[in-house]
Amino acid sequence: MSSLINVAEGEEQHTPLLHNHNHNAAASTDDIVPPSNGPDSSPPAAPNQRLHSLDVFRGLTVALMILVDDAGGAFPSINHSPWFGVTLADFVMPFFLFGVGVSIALVFKRISNKSIATKKVVLRTFKLFILGLVLQGGYFHGRNDLTYGVDVDKIRWLGVLQRISIGYLLASMAEIWLVNNDFVDSAMAFVKKYYIQWMFAILLCSVYMCLLYGLYIPNWEYEDLSMNLTGYASGTQIVHCEVRGSLEPPCNAVGLIDRVILGEHHLYQHPVYRRTKECSINSPDYGPLPQNAPGWCLAPFDPEGILSSLMAAITCFLGLQFGHILVHFKDQMQRVLLWSMLSFPLLIAGYVLELLGVPFCKPLYTLSYMCITAGASG
């Protein structure tokens, strides 16, 4: 997984994978990171120089991912939260996104040709998206007969790597096009250089919040093709909503947008809310449906949906700003101070938002969840 993230980041100077994967990387790097040409440019890094703190952070994230993947079934308390709340497993995805953002700041700290850099970013985004589609997004059928293949009517378009590719694309485009050519010699100059990026991130947050709380969620139906212990028969199930601003599993704007744009059959068919108390007698683990379980327990829902990926991209933007601190400030104590000035307010904001009624929810990637996970990343 870590190697796949490196492909998204395009770290010619910091990741051995790209040295091995593309022998022409050294030649193409000059188009993105040319020799120093301004007072704000730092000396080029040695080809094999690595940012050890980022390596450690990636290693810990991969170790955490392995832990929760292997032990999550035996210890549901560290597995992903069924819906509201946050567990150890819920920090893995934000940690990867944050690391991508930090790396983008390092890779694009000097850009000579914005058009060439943009083409490289689009190509890497496409590669990562397709890779995610192949690894986990496909719907394969007929494994034991001659009809083996991919059913395009049921292929899942979104997933973990696809979400990372979206965050990488948005953060990279902002780093290429939304930066002022100002010399950074103070905190105020730092803000002036990158304030357009912050405005763009705030715009994405605003779009997300407006849609999440403003969209009207009508009643909807889905095709249930499974039999279960409570006697649900195959056929059409109707989910009653008619609400606005709900964050509950059956009636939220994230699911509505995915159903309208992607279609029911292209969503994840085993949603995490199957482990909620309403849908499992073994909650927070999977289990049989309880008596009088609501019909939406068997409805599809994509945890890496379109709308929630907008907020997930903000984690990349925040990692990008932390990376900017590494680029522009060389004193270690100053870096620690500035990182703390970003990390602790994010943590506090997350908990305050939760107290104000914006719950932690990874499947929806709520603003409070984004804040505490990004703060923890820092």
Side-chain angles (χ1 to χ4, degrees), residues 1 5 44 60 77 98 106 147 245 262 270 312 351 361 372:
M1 179 69 173
I5 305 306
L60 291 173
S77 58
F98 185 89
L106 301 177
T147 65
L262 301 177
H270 305 283
Y351 283 107
C361 183
I372 65 160

Side-chain angles (χ1 to χ4, degrees), residues 63 120 133 155 159-160 166 219 268 274 279-280 285 368:
K120 292 180 181 292
L133 201 63
I155 191 171
V160 172
I166 293 172
N219 297 336
Y268 189 54
R274 283 292 306 275
C279 301
S280 173
D285 199 1
S368 58

Side-chain angles (χ1 to χ4, degrees), residues 177-240:
W177 296 100
L178 303 182
V179 176
N180 290 323
N181 295 323
D182 295 324
F183 174 62
V184 176
D185 56 357
S186 64
M188 184 60 65
F190 179 87
V191 172
K192 184 178 179 181
K193 184 178 181 68
Y194 296 110
Y195 81 95
I196 302 179
Q197 289 185 358
W198 283 96
M199 293 176 63
F200 182 60
I202 292 173
L203 175 63
L204 290 181
C205 281
S206 301
V207 170
Y208 169 88
M209 295 296 287
C210 289
L211 293 175
L212 184 67
Y213 287 99
L215 277 183
Y216 174 76
I217 315 299
N219 297 336
W220 58 281
E221 60 183 36
Y222 70 97
E223 187 178 359
D224 176 21
L225 300 178
S226 61
M227 297 291 293
N228 54 77
L229 297 179
T230 61
Y232 284 111
S234 299
T236 300
Q237 294 286 340
I238 299 178
V239 180
H240 297 279

Side-chain angles (χ1 to χ4, degrees), residues 270-320:
H270 305 283
V272 67
Y273 56 64
R274 283 292 306 275
R275 295 190 288 112
T276 60
K277 292 181 180 179
E278 295 89 344
C279 301
S280 173
I281 63 175
N282 297 331
S283 180
D285 199 1
Y286 289 102
L289 292 169
Q291 293 292 332
N292 301 319
W296 55 261
C297 286
L298 301 176
F301 179 85
D302 206 306
E304 283 83 37
I306 297 173
L307 182 59
S308 56
S309 291
L310 288 182
M311 184 60 73
I314 304 301
T315 304
C316 279
F317 275 95
L318 290 172
L320 181 63

Side-chain angles (χ1 to χ4, degrees), residues 57-81:
F57 181 71
R58 285 171 171 158
L60 291 173
T61 303
V62 172
L64 177 61
M65 179 183 68
I66 295 172
L67 171 66
V68 298
D69 282 349
D70 292 343
F75 303 97
S77 58
I78 68 172
N79 199 357
H80 290 291
S81 176

Side-chain angles (χ1 to χ4, degrees), residues 111-130:
I111 303 172
S112 62
N113 191 313
K114 294 185 177 181
S115 297
I116 293 177
T118 299
K119 291 178 181 178
K120 292 180 181 292
V121 167
V122 172
L123 180 60
R124 288 171 182 150
T125 300
F126 178 76
K127 288 180 179 178
L128 190 62
F129 193 95
I130 295 300

Side-chain angles (χ1 to χ4, degrees), residues 16-37:
L17 175 66
L18 287 189
H19 289 297
N20 298 330
H21 176 70
N22 188 356
H23 180 69
N24 296 322
S28 63
T29 301
D30 293 337
D31 296 327
I32 296 180
V33 187
S36 177
N37 58 2

